């Protein structure tokens, strides 16, 4: 964890509020897999890559941003669940 957005443990947070920023090699690899799969025409590979990103805490909005930027980053902000 690189950065915490809350100041106290058990602090109440709002839906979609940023909680923390995370650094992960697995995340970077999953993002790279997604950007490569989204360039091709293999739908199952792209869906698997999206599933992997979601399992690592990446939101749909962040996946859309990744689709547009095509830039993998080792950092991801994790948000409070909806």
């Amino acid at each position: 964890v690189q950065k915490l957005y809350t100041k106290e443990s058990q602090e109440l947070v709002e839906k979609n509020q940023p909680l923390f920023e995370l650094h992960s090699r697995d995340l970077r690899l999953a993002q790279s897999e997604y950007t490569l799969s989204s360039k091709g025409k293999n739908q199952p590979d792209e869906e698997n890559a999206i599933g992997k990103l979601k399992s690592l805490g990446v939101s749909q909005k962040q996946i859309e941003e990744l689709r547009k930027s095509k830039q993998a980053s080792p950092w991801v902000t994790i948000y409070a669940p909806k």
Side-chain angles (χ1 to χ4, degrees):
V1 173
Q2 174 66 24
K3 181 177 182 179
L4 290 173
Y5 290 99
T6 58
K7 296 180 183 175
E8 300 175 21
S9 64
Q10 299 186 12
E11 178 180 335
L12 292 177
V13 294
E14 301 290 325
K15 293 178 184 177
N16 296 320
Q17 177 180 338
L19 299 175
F20 56 92
E21 200 169 279
L22 179 70
H23 176 270
S24 167
R25 289 183 197 164
D26 292 339
L27 174 64
R28 174 108 185 194
L29 178 60
Q31 289 177 346
S32 295
E33 287 175 10
Y34 173 72
T35 57
L36 289 174
S37 69
S38 66
K39 291 177 184 176
K41 301 205 185 280
N42 193 339
Q43 189 68 26
D45 285 348
E46 186 174 358
E47 289 173 6
N48 288 337
I50 289 171
K52 207 179 276 189
L53 288 168
K54 287 183 176 181
S55 73
L56 290 168
V58 179
S59 71
Q60 186 63 41
K61 181 180 177 185
Q62 290 169 309
I63 292 170
E64 291 299 322
E65 290 170 0
L66 177 60
R67 180 186 317 244
K68 291 175 187 174
S69 73
K70 295 177 178 50
Q71 295 292 319
S73 170
W75 304 100
V76 66
T77 302
I78 304 298
Y79 294 88
K82 296 180 181 181

